[in-house]
Amino acid sequence: MQQPVQLGPKPLTREDVHAVARGDARVEISEAAREAVTTARAHIERLATAEKPTYGVSTGFGALAVRHIPPDRRAALQQSLVRSHAAGAGPEVEREVVRALVLLRLKTLTSGHTGIRLETAETMAAMLNAGITPVVHEFGSLGCSGDLAPLSAAALALTGEGNVRDADHNLVPAAQALAKAGLQPVRLAEKEGLALINGTDGMLGMLILAVQDLHYLLDVADLTAAMSVEALLGTDRVFAADLQALRPHPGQGRSAQRMAEILRDSEIMDSHRGPDCTRVQDAYSLRCSPQVHGAARDTVAYAETVADRELASSIDNPVVLADGRVESNGNFHGAPIAYVLDFLAIPTADVASIAERRTDRMLDVNRSHGLPPFLAHDPGVDSGHMIAQYTQAAIVSELKRLAVPASVDSIPSSAMQEDHVSMGWSAARKLRQSVDGLRKVLAIELLTAARALDLRKPLNPAPATAAAVAKLREYVEGPGPDRHLAPEIAAAEELIRNGAL
């Protein structure tokens, strides 16, 4: 059983987010966090009774911030804010993303900088622990003033309105799910509606999840690239440590080292090391794999730095400071996250692109060094993996389009009060598509390289690549006459998705 994730003075880690979003770990609010929340709330209640208006406490929001709201209308103000801002549209966002979003918002709410009441934070934690997932729609965030529509959908569920998915993933009214879990809907007080929705938590959650996925997919890319090098009778000499040290990028060195280790003790590699081999050098898609994969690794490392800084942040507007001041700020702007989300889409597309080139090379009888055309059992009668490469090419083309940055766009909103936005949520949504596309492309390279290695028999592949082929063969048969390929691609993709390689 997983350890509960503690919310307190110490920043959450990326592993904490994974544990809650994907592993359903429980969340606990520490005693220190409870004290911080209570102290900050006292400051808000003092300002709520003051004659001087305070933004978010006794005024309207955005372009309507000039209106002073009388005390008897302030609870209605907060509920109206959440209802009106829960204006999303489109498909439901994935459960893991919503759980990450709620956790990260709760992280800021328990920081002592938002002025929320302790009972509100406790109910939010209890919703997570009960497996209640608000229905959040894909469109509605411009990534400035945070992820307003997505966070408002989560806040609306907290008040017992809107729809949620229960622990069994059934679509039910929020009030019904809360009652079943023994929870009372929250009746929002001053500042709480704003505190619940003014953050960058959705885009940050998707960044953290994408980084975890890309770490594993880049390991898989090293494996499938090594299998392709082996199948194409390429050389592993270019992966030597002394050559890599001449260009000391850490990601490149790691990928080269991994590929060299994967190819160790290969009979196929040994079969063409002698003087009879007349090939001077391999194509770029083989020789330069560590450079491409390594640059992607280094980009992921930079993204982790940004994610960790954001995990140490408290994003709200206005914020409650230690001395009791409540100050407006611009920390809700998503640019720091949006840029890196867009940045990650570039190497994701490029790693897929080089994998597709390696696959194509194995299918071309003029470049595959003795393999049958398209790896077909009976070329002409059979087409082998010809159209699997078409599928790769179609996905790679789409990934190139998805690599166009969202964060260079800005659409003014709120009567020009919010006149420059980040589009970070959009960057995050397309990165998720990119990661999914890369997984599919690598699945096809895995299928193709495994078939090519089988066709090199009686020569045996390296122990590491042989183990990958054996694992795949538990789900997909070896070479033979044409079969329905779509289920085999799906099986290879699921193997990767489950981390089984």
Side-chain angles (χ1 to χ4, degrees):
M1 186 174 179
Q2 293 194 68
Q3 288 291 106
V5 170
Q6 284 275 333
L7 294 164
K10 187 178 178 183
L12 288 180
T13 65
R14 284 175 273 118
E15 290 72 24
D16 290 333
V17 177
H18 304 154
V20 173
R22 289 177 163 165
D24 290 344
R26 291 184 60 80
V27 174
E28 295 178 352
I29 302 173
S30 71
E31 191 57 40
R34 292 170 182 274
E35 293 175 7
V37 168
T38 302
T39 300
R41 184 63 199 173
H43 295 311
I44 292 298
E45 291 178 352
R46 173 178 54 80
L47 291 170
T49 59
E51 291 186 11
K52 181 181 178 182
T54 300
Y55 176 69
V57 177
S58 54
T59 71
F61 310 108
L64 300 176
V66 294
R67 183 182 173 189
H68 185 257
I69 308 299
D72 64 342
R73 297 295 295 154
R74 290 176 189 169
L77 167 71
Q78 300 297 321
Q79 189 68 40
S80 292
L81 173 73
V82 169
R83 285 176 180 147
S84 66
H85 283 47
E92 285 185 43
V93 172
E94 303 85 357
R95 181 177 186 270
E96 66 178 16
V97 172
V98 179
R99 286 185 62 82
L101 174 151
V102 173
L103 171 68
L104 292 167
R105 194 71 216 134
L106 186 58
K107 180 264 298 182
T108 285
L109 294 175
T110 55
S111 68
H113 291 294
T114 69
I116 203 165
R117 292 172 301 159
L118 180 58
E119 53 263 43
T120 303
E122 289 175 331
T123 304
M124 203 168 186
M127 276 181 60
L128 270 175
N129 291 338
I132 298 171
T133 307
V135 171
V136 173
H137 296 285
E138 178 145 20
F139 301 105
S141 173
L142 300 180
C144 200
S145 279
D147 293 319
L148 286 176
L151 283 164
S152 295
L156 193 67
L158 190 68
T159 69
E161 297 186 20
N163 291 323
V164 300
R165 295 282 176 179
D166 64 16
D168 298 318
H169 312 298
N170 299 312
L171 182 66
V172 297
Q176 178 181 322
L178 290 173
K180 185 177 179 181
L183 302 175
Q184 288 293 321
V186 171
R187 188 171 184 271
L188 300 175
E190 297 91 349
K191 176 67 169 64
E192 289 195 304
L194 197 58
L196 284 163
I197 71 173
N198 216 335
T200 53
D201 308 288
M203 61 185 96
L204 175 57
M206 285 186 275
L207 173 61
I208 291 168
L209 295 173
V211 163
Q212 183 185 43
D213 291 340
L214 286 170
H215 263 300
Y216 179 66
L217 289 177
L218 290 172
D219 281 349
V220 172
D222 290 342
L223 170 63
T224 58
M227 292 171 71
S228 295
V229 168
E230 190 175 28
L232 286 164
L233 306 184
T235 180
D236 57 358
R237 294 193 302 273
V238 295
F239 309 138
D242 54 357
L243 292 175
Q244 303 305 315
L246 297 175
R247 197 184 194 190
H249 292 285
Q252 176 181 323
R254 174 166 170 73
S255 282
Q257 181 184 27
R258 282 178 46 78
M259 290 182 67
E261 289 173 351
I262 290 167
L263 291 170
R264 186 171 295 145
D265 298 327
S266 166
E267 289 183 11
I268 296 174
M269 300 297 292
D270 289 342
S271 70
H272 56 92
R273 294 190 192 279
D276 293 340
C277 182
T278 58
R279 292 168 61 190
V280 176
Q281 57 187 15
D282 292 328
Y284 288 6
S285 58
L286 308 183
R287 195 186 346 154
C288 302
S289 291
Q291 284 73 17
V292 173
H293 298 179
R297 288 183 181 279
D298 291 342
T299 306
V300 170
Y302 168 65
E304 289 175 326
T305 299
V306 172
D308 291 344
R309 289 172 184 160
E310 289 291 316
L311 285 169
S313 303
S314 296
I315 306 298
D316 194 15
N317 181 50
V319 291
V320 182
L321 299 173
D323 60 6
R325 286 180 296 131
V326 175
E327 297 283 1
S328 292
N329 65 90
N331 285 337
F332 51 73
H333 200 288
I337 311 172
Y339 294 162
V340 76
L341 287 162
D342 278 334
F343 194 2
L344 283 172
I346 296 171
T348 300
D350 202 37
V351 171
S353 179
I354 198 171
E356 182 274 330
R357 289 292 81 205
R358 292 189 297 259
T359 302
D360 180 71
R361 185 166 286 271
M362 284 183 281
L363 303 180
D364 184 352
V365 70
N366 295 310
R367 296 179 291 148
S368 64
H369 303 285
L371 293 171
F374 302 106
L375 307 186
H377 177 73
D378 183 3
V381 174
D382 295 317
S383 295
H385 281 205
M386 179 193 293
I387 307 304
Q389 182 268 328
Y390 283 34
T391 300
Q392 271 190 323
I395 295 169
V396 168
S397 183
E398 179 66 16
L399 295 185
K400 292 173 183 177
R401 288 190 288 273
L402 291 170
V404 175
S407 57
V408 297
D409 189 21
S410 178
I411 299 179
S413 56
S414 193
M416 292 298 287
Q417 175 74 3
E418 299 169 9
D419 59 351
H420 183 82
V421 298
S422 78
M423 305 306 296
W425 175 274
S426 298
R429 296 306 296 166
K430 70 183 183 64
L431 179 59
R432 285 182 68 81
Q433 294 178 58
S434 296
V435 170
D436 185 62
L438 174 60
R439 188 183 298 112
K440 288 177 170 59
V441 168
L442 293 177
I444 293 171
E445 184 179 22
L446 174 66
L447 279 174
T448 304
R451 187 179 180 97
L453 289 173
D454 281 343
L455 292 170
R456 292 293 184 190
K457 291 179 179 177
L459 292 174
N460 292 316
T465 56
V469 174
K471 175 57 70 173
L472 179 66
R473 292 289 170 254
E474 294 176 16
Y475 306 92
V476 175
E477 293 180 18
D482 281 354
R483 303 184 295 265
H484 184 191
L485 267 182
E488 298 190 358
I489 294 170
E493 184 184 1
E494 193 63 19
L495 199 63
I496 295 172
R497 190 189 305 277
N498 293 335
L501 288 177

mmCIF file of all heavy atoms in Angstrom, residues 46 53 74 81 93 110 133 146 156 162 182 194 211 227 267 280-281 302 328 346 373 393 456 478:
data_model
loop_
_atom_site.group_PDB
_atom_site.id
_atom_site.type_symbol
_atom_site.label_atom_id
_atom_site.label_comp_id
_atom_site.label_asym_id
_atom_site.label_seq_id
_atom_site.Cartn_x
_atom_site.Cartn_y
_atom_site.Cartn_z
ATOM 1 N N ARG A 46 -10.599 39.410 8.679
ATOM 2 C CA ARG A 46 -10.394 40.794 9.132
ATOM 3 C C ARG A 46 -10.655 41.766 7.990
ATOM 4 O O ARG A 46 -11.331 42.789 8.169
ATOM 5 C CB ARG A 46 -8.962 40.957 9.668
ATOM 6 C CG ARG A 46 -8.581 42.386 10.018
ATOM 7 C CD ARG A 46 -7.172 42.453 10.572
ATOM 8 N NE ARG A 46 -6.185 41.838 9.698
ATOM 9 C CZ ARG A 46 -5.667 42.443 8.629
ATOM 10 N NH1 ARG A 46 -6.050 43.670 8.297
ATOM 11 N NH2 ARG A 46 -4.763 41.829 7.892
ATOM 12 N N PRO A 53 -12.193 48.347 0.328
ATOM 13 C CA PRO A 53 -12.399 47.127 -0.472
ATOM 14 C C PRO A 53 -11.091 46.409 -0.770
ATOM 15 O O PRO A 53 -10.053 47.032 -0.957
ATOM 16 C CB PRO A 53 -13.050 47.655 -1.750
ATOM 17 C CG PRO A 53 -12.724 49.098 -1.816
ATOM 18 C CD PRO A 53 -12.525 49.577 -0.409
ATOM 19 N N ARG A 74 -21.633 38.497 -0.542
ATOM 20 C CA ARG A 74 -20.286 37.990 -0.847
ATOM 21 C C ARG A 74 -20.241 36.471 -0.998
ATOM 22 O O ARG A 74 -19.459 35.946 -1.787
ATOM 23 C CB ARG A 74 -19.293 38.472 0.214
ATOM 24 C CG ARG A 74 -19.049 39.973 0.082
ATOM 25 C CD ARG A 74 -18.155 40.516 1.159
ATOM 26 N NE ARG A 74 -18.136 41.971 1.093
ATOM 27 C CZ ARG A 74 -17.617 42.749 2.026
ATOM 28 N NH1 ARG A 74 -17.066 42.208 3.108
ATOM 29 N NH2 ARG A 74 -17.650 44.069 1.900
ATOM 30 N N LEU A 81 -19.203 33.109 -9.097
ATOM 31 C CA LEU A 81 -17.916 33.057 -9.794
ATOM 32 C C LEU A 81 -17.637 31.643 -10.288
ATOM 33 O O LEU A 81 -17.304 31.426 -11.462
ATOM 34 C CB LEU A 81 -16.794 33.509 -8.861
ATOM 35 C CG LEU A 81 -15.371 33.357 -9.402
ATOM 36 C CD1 LEU A 81 -15.093 34.405 -10.473
ATOM 37 C CD2 LEU A 81 -14.345 33.456 -8.276
ATOM 38 N N VAL A 93 -11.729 15.533 -19.791
ATOM 39 C CA VAL A 93 -10.290 15.403 -19.581
ATOM 40 C C VAL A 93 -10.027 14.115 -18.791
ATOM 41 O O VAL A 93 -10.841 13.687 -17.968
ATOM 42 C CB VAL A 93 -9.761 16.643 -18.829
ATOM 43 C CG1 VAL A 93 -8.316 16.462 -18.409
ATOM 44 C CG2 VAL A 93 -9.909 17.877 -19.714
ATOM 45 N N THR A 110 -3.324 24.832 0.769
ATOM 46 C CA THR A 110 -2.818 24.527 2.115
ATOM 47 C C THR A 110 -1.477 25.192 2.404
ATOM 48 O O THR A 110 -0.840 24.896 3.408
ATOM 49 C CB THR A 110 -2.688 23.009 2.297
ATOM 50 O OG1 THR A 110 -1.875 22.468 1.263
ATOM 51 C CG2 THR A 110 -4.055 22.330 2.274
ATOM 52 N N THR A 133 -13.985 12.260 -8.955
ATOM 53 C CA THR A 133 -13.255 13.023 -9.971
ATOM 54 C C THR A 133 -14.203 13.953 -10.705
ATOM 55 O O THR A 133 -15.079 13.486 -11.447
ATOM 56 C CB THR A 133 -12.581 12.078 -10.990
ATOM 57 O OG1 THR A 133 -11.783 11.119 -10.291
ATOM 58 C CG2 THR A 133 -11.715 12.858 -11.960
ATOM 59 N N GLY A 146 -4.781 31.615 -14.725
ATOM 60 C CA GLY A 146 -4.718 30.186 -14.486
ATOM 61 C C GLY A 146 -5.618 29.393 -15.411
ATOM 62 O O GLY A 146 -6.085 29.883 -16.440
ATOM 63 N N LEU A 156 -16.777 23.554 -8.602
ATOM 64 C CA LEU A 156 -18.229 23.391 -8.635
ATOM 65 C C LEU A 156 -18.633 22.064 -8.004
ATOM 66 O O LEU A 156 -19.609 21.995 -7.237
ATOM 67 C CB LEU A 156 -18.721 23.467 -10.084
ATOM 68 C CG LEU A 156 -20.232 23.621 -10.277
ATOM 69 C CD1 LEU A 156 -20.711 24.972 -9.760
ATOM 70 C CD2 LEU A 156 -20.599 23.454 -11.751
ATOM 71 N N GLY A 162 -22.856 20.218 -10.560
ATOM 72 C CA GLY A 162 -22.175 19.613 -11.695
ATOM 73 C C GLY A 162 -22.098 18.103 -11.576
ATOM 74 O O GLY A 162 -22.698 17.488 -10.692
ATOM 75 N N GLY A 182 -20.140 10.501 2.399
ATOM 76 C CA GLY A 182 -20.320 11.094 3.721
ATOM 77 C C GLY A 182 -19.815 12.510 3.830
ATOM 78 O O GLY A 182 -19.452 12.958 4.934
ATOM 79 N N LEU A 194 -12.443 32.422 -5.632
ATOM 80 C CA LEU A 194 -11.269 32.872 -6.382
ATOM 81 C C LEU A 194 -10.060 31.994 -6.097
ATOM 82 O O LEU A 194 -9.310 31.623 -7.004
ATOM 83 C CB LEU A 194 -10.980 34.327 -6.020
ATOM 84 C CG LEU A 194 -10.072 35.112 -6.960
ATOM 85 C CD1 LEU A 194 -10.629 35.137 -8.368
ATOM 86 C CD2 LEU A 194 -9.874 36.533 -6.443
ATOM 87 N N VAL A 211 6.373 14.308 -18.417
ATOM 88 C CA VAL A 211 7.794 14.078 -18.129
ATOM 89 C C VAL A 211 8.022 12.633 -17.700
ATOM 90 O O VAL A 211 8.980 11.976 -18.139
ATOM 91 C CB VAL A 211 8.276 15.071 -17.048
ATOM 92 C CG1 VAL A 211 9.580 14.608 -16.426
ATOM 93 C CG2 VAL A 211 8.446 16.466 -17.643
ATOM 94 N N MET A 227 17.931 -2.255 -31.418
ATOM 95 C CA MET A 227 17.425 -3.406 -32.167
ATOM 96 C C MET A 227 17.502 -3.153 -33.664
ATOM 97 O O MET A 227 17.859 -4.054 -34.440
ATOM 98 C CB MET A 227 15.976 -3.692 -31.759
ATOM 99 C CG MET A 227 15.814 -4.189 -30.329
ATOM 100 S SD MET A 227 14.077 -4.270 -29.785
ATOM 101 C CE MET A 227 13.483 -5.663 -30.764
ATOM 102 N N GLU A 267 25.697 -11.926 -31.407
ATOM 103 C CA GLU A 267 26.291 -12.690 -32.510
ATOM 104 C C GLU A 267 26.081 -11.969 -33.836
ATOM 105 O O GLU A 267 26.943 -12.026 -34.732
ATOM 106 C CB GLU A 267 25.660 -14.085 -32.592
ATOM 107 C CG GLU A 267 26.054 -15.019 -31.472
ATOM 108 C CD GLU A 267 25.447 -16.406 -31.655
ATOM 109 O OE1 GLU A 267 24.902 -16.687 -32.752
ATOM 110 O OE2 GLU A 267 25.520 -17.208 -30.703
ATOM 111 N N VAL A 280 31.637 1.826 -44.539
ATOM 112 C CA VAL A 280 32.438 2.829 -43.838
ATOM 113 C C VAL A 280 31.669 3.408 -42.656
ATOM 114 O O VAL A 280 32.221 3.555 -41.561
ATOM 115 C CB VAL A 280 32.867 3.949 -44.806
ATOM 116 C CG1 VAL A 280 33.625 5.039 -44.065
ATOM 117 C CG2 VAL A 280 33.708 3.371 -45.935
ATOM 118 N N GLN A 281 30.410 3.741 -42.862
ATOM 119 C CA GLN A 281 29.625 4.328 -41.776
ATOM 120 C C GLN A 281 28.137 4.114 -42.038
ATOM 121 O O GLN A 281 27.713 3.899 -43.168
ATOM 122 C CB GLN A 281 29.928 5.810 -41.628
ATOM 123 C CG GLN A 281 29.693 6.630 -42.882
ATOM 124 C CD GLN A 281 30.165 8.072 -42.731
ATOM 125 O OE1 GLN A 281 30.907 8.412 -41.811
ATOM 126 N NE2 GLN A 281 29.723 8.937 -43.630
ATOM 127 N N TYR A 302 15.430 19.760 -18.379
ATOM 128 C CA TYR A 302 15.085 21.169 -18.187
ATOM 129 C C TYR A 302 13.623 21.301 -17.757
ATOM 130 O O TYR A 302 13.289 22.097 -16.862
ATOM 131 C CB TYR A 302 15.328 21.962 -19.471
ATOM 132 C CG TYR A 302 14.738 23.347 -19.440
ATOM 133 C CD1 TYR A 302 15.211 24.298 -18.538
ATOM 134 C CD2 TYR A 302 13.688 23.703 -20.284
ATOM 135 C CE1 TYR A 302 14.656 25.568 -18.486
ATOM 136 C CE2 TYR A 302 13.123 24.965 -20.234
ATOM 137 C CZ TYR A 302 13.612 25.893 -19.340
ATOM 138 O OH TYR A 302 13.055 27.146 -19.282
ATOM 139 N N SER A 328 -2.416 41.777 -4.929
ATOM 140 C CA SER A 328 -2.562 41.272 -6.288
ATOM 141 C C SER A 328 -1.198 41.024 -6.907
ATOM 142 O O SER A 328 -0.200 41.647 -6.519
ATOM 143 C CB SER A 328 -3.349 42.277 -7.141
ATOM 144 O OG SER A 328 -4.691 42.351 -6.717
ATOM 145 N N ILE A 346 8.710 19.376 -29.390
ATOM 146 C CA ILE A 346 9.683 19.338 -30.493
ATOM 147 C C ILE A 346 10.515 18.053 -30.466
ATOM 148 O O ILE A 346 10.526 17.302 -31.450
ATOM 149 C CB ILE A 346 10.570 20.592 -30.475
ATOM 150 C CG1 ILE A 346 9.720 21.847 -30.724
ATOM 151 C CG2 ILE A 346 11.687 20.489 -31.506
ATOM 152 C CD1 ILE A 346 10.468 23.149 -30.515
ATOM 153 N N PRO A 373 12.173 -7.916 -48.877
ATOM 154 C CA PRO A 373 11.418 -6.672 -49.058
ATOM 155 C C PRO A 373 10.255 -6.578 -48.077
ATOM 156 O O PRO A 373 9.448 -7.506 -47.968
ATOM 157 C CB PRO A 373 10.922 -6.760 -50.507
ATOM 158 C CG PRO A 373 11.865 -7.701 -51.185
ATOM 159 C CD PRO A 373 12.279 -8.693 -50.130
ATOM 160 N N ALA A 393 4.437 6.981 -40.532
ATOM 161 C CA ALA A 393 4.624 8.233 -41.262
ATOM 162 C C ALA A 393 3.465 9.189 -41.017
ATOM 163 O O ALA A 393 3.663 10.405 -40.848
ATOM 164 C CB ALA A 393 4.779 7.951 -42.758
ATOM 165 N N ARG A 456 17.155 -12.809 -39.052
ATOM 166 C CA ARG A 456 18.620 -12.953 -39.093
ATOM 167 C C ARG A 456 19.076 -14.316 -38.565
ATOM 168 O O ARG A 456 20.277 -14.603 -38.545
ATOM 169 C CB ARG A 456 19.284 -11.845 -38.273
ATOM 170 C CG ARG A 456 19.149 -10.439 -38.850
ATOM 171 C CD ARG A 456 19.906 -10.269 -40.143
ATOM 172 N NE ARG A 456 19.845 -8.892 -40.654
ATOM 173 C CZ ARG A 456 20.259 -8.523 -41.854
ATOM 174 N NH1 ARG A 456 20.753 -9.443 -42.689
ATOM 175 N NH2 ARG A 456 20.171 -7.270 -42.243
ATOM 176 N N GLY A 478 5.812 -14.572 -34.361
ATOM 177 C CA GLY A 478 6.975 -14.231 -35.154
ATOM 178 C C GLY A 478 6.672 -14.173 -36.640
ATOM 179 O O GLY A 478 5.498 -14.191 -37.055
#
